[in-house]
Amino acid sequence: MEQLTPNIFTETRLRGCNPSFVTTSEGVVVIDTPQLPTKAVAMRREAESHGPIRYIINTEHHVDHIFGNYYFKGAGTVVNHQGVYDNFMVVYPELDPFAYAYEALPTPAGKGTDLDDPTGVALWPDRDEYYADPNKGTVVFTGDLTLHVGDHTFHCLHTPGHTPGQLAVHVPEERTVFTGDTIFSECQTWLMTSNVDQWIASLDRIRALDVDRVVPGHGPITTKAYVDTQRATLMEWKTAVALAVAKGWSREETVARVNFADRCPVDIGQGYMMNYIQTLNAGSLWDKLTAVPAASAR
Ligand SMILES: [Zn+2]
């Protein structure tokens, strides 16, 4: 893993999110778990070599941040925002997260690349066995939550937008914030399950933190200056689709014509999803911007 400070370890070169851990004087705190089984098992071993795992915090409910929890059973207390807990590996009509996680493996059914996890198949759980205990939160909260662990503080800040239960984990002693997918550093932003206005407000919350280092949900380590780039990306998407709606473009026409694929690549190992991201980003924004407000909102 990459060591960012004497106490912070992360992994930005894996398919999936940037799983990380922080070592303290009283054990280890894990922030997101690797999606790929082999990597999850390896990261647990590495984390435990620094001391017992005290807590596992998930920054959101998307599969690439939570699936690996299964391989951390018995290692510490899982801490989830209510919005993560309620959506934890829930199967939606548009995406079955269990099947999606399996697809990341280079099996006959998979679309994996050499960055994926060929040996993960041997560690793959039976679906029923998995769902019987995916290792979701036992500490579940709304709003913010602070954990004091040895000589470190973990402020779990509710920063909704990318997802409703989104967290950023601010560790003041390390002058670092782990933003989860509130920041996609130098790679494509996924916003199909998002509320863009909430997301921009959450970026302002991150901007207010006194930190030197931002560990994003995806892509290379960055700084607070990248908050401005992320905001511009969100505003660009929303404005482009709002203009499409104003011109009377249909959903199909909007999806065909609004596209930011040229801006940056997709995060590692998922280049094949570029069109999927562009289509769902544009389509989901079109749906939201053309929705008739509910009577109670008038
Ligand atoms: Zn996500």
Side-chain angles (χ1 to χ4, degrees):
M1 292 181 77
E2 300 156 51
Q3 187 168 7
L4 303 182
T5 73
N7 297 309
I8 297 182
F9 297 78
T10 190
E11 192 71 84
T12 64
R13 304 289 305 163
L14 288 181
R15 177 181 171 140
C17 75
N18 292 340
S20 306
F21 64 81
V22 181
T23 61
T24 81
S25 60
E26 285 185 21
V28 180
V29 175
V30 172
I31 301 167
D32 288 335
T33 53
Q35 170 184 348
L36 299 172
T38 306
K39 308 295 183 188
V41 169
M43 181 172 146
R44 175 175 177 169
R45 194 180 306 123
E46 185 165 350
E48 287 179 331
S49 77
H50 294 272
I53 296 173
R54 296 283 310 281
Y55 294 102
I56 295 168
I57 305 166
N58 297 114
T59 61
E60 65 172 75
H61 74 272
H62 287 159
V63 63
D64 57 322
H65 300 256
I66 62 173
F67 183 74
N69 281 26
Y70 183 80
Y71 301 95
F72 283 75
K73 281 191 194 182
T77 300
V78 179
V79 176
N80 287 160
H81 190 273
Q82 186 77 46
V84 176
Y85 184 86
D86 290 344
N87 293 298
F88 202 99
M89 291 295 281
V90 173
V91 177
Y92 301 97
E94 61 276 17
L95 181 76
D96 173 357
F98 189 82
Y100 177 78
Y102 188 72
E103 270 191 15
L105 306 177
T107 63
K111 303 185 180 78
T113 71
D114 57 355
L115 286 161
D116 290 335
D117 191 13
T119 54
V121 177
L123 297 167
W124 197 258
D126 169 76
R127 180 185 281 265
D128 291 342
E129 185 190 318
Y130 172 82
Y131 274 99
D133 180 13
N135 198 20
K136 59 199 280 193
T138 53
V139 170
V140 180
F141 65 101
T142 57
D144 298 340
L145 176 76
T146 296
L147 301 170
H148 294 285
V149 187
D151 52 2
H152 281 71
T153 314
F154 297 82
H155 294 299
C156 302
L157 307 176
H158 187 214
T159 45
H162 174 66
T163 64
Q166 198 75 30
L167 292 183
V169 182
H170 174 216
V171 186
E173 293 83 0
E174 302 291 332
R175 300 189 57 79
T176 298
V177 61
F178 301 80
T179 63
D181 289 4
T182 300
I183 303 241
F184 283 83
S185 170
E186 297 171 39
C187 58
Q188 287 286 329
T189 294
W190 299 54
L191 45 74
M192 41 287 235
T193 58
S194 303
N195 179 320
V196 169
D197 297 333
Q198 284 184 354
W199 191 335
I200 289 170
S202 290
L203 286 170
D204 281 339
R205 200 168 180 206
I206 288 165
R207 184 197 307 280
L209 300 174
D210 185 19
V211 294
D212 300 327
R213 194 177 297 99
V214 170
V215 180
H218 295 269
I221 305 304
T222 187
T223 65
K224 252 184 2 178
Y226 200 83
V227 164
D228 294 332
T229 304
Q230 185 65 58
R231 179 173 61 183
T233 299
L234 296 174
M235 293 176 83
E236 195 171 37
W237 265 109
K238 188 168 179 184
T239 302
V241 176
L243 283 167
V245 170
K247 287 174 191 157
W249 293 1
S250 68
R251 193 183 197 279
E252 292 66 32
E253 197 174 5
T254 302
V255 165
R257 295 175 71 172
V258 177
N259 189 303
F260 294 102
D262 61 337
R263 288 293 192 279
C264 53
V266 183
D267 190 28
I268 292 168
Q270 292 176 283
Y272 70 91
M273 300 198 80
M274 179 64 95
N275 287 337
Y276 175 88
I277 296 167
Q278 302 302 314
T279 298
L280 268 80
N281 279 2
S284 64
L285 277 171
W286 191 93
D287 292 341
K288 285 164 191 158
L289 291 169
T290 56
V292 178
S296 59
R298 283 191 200 130

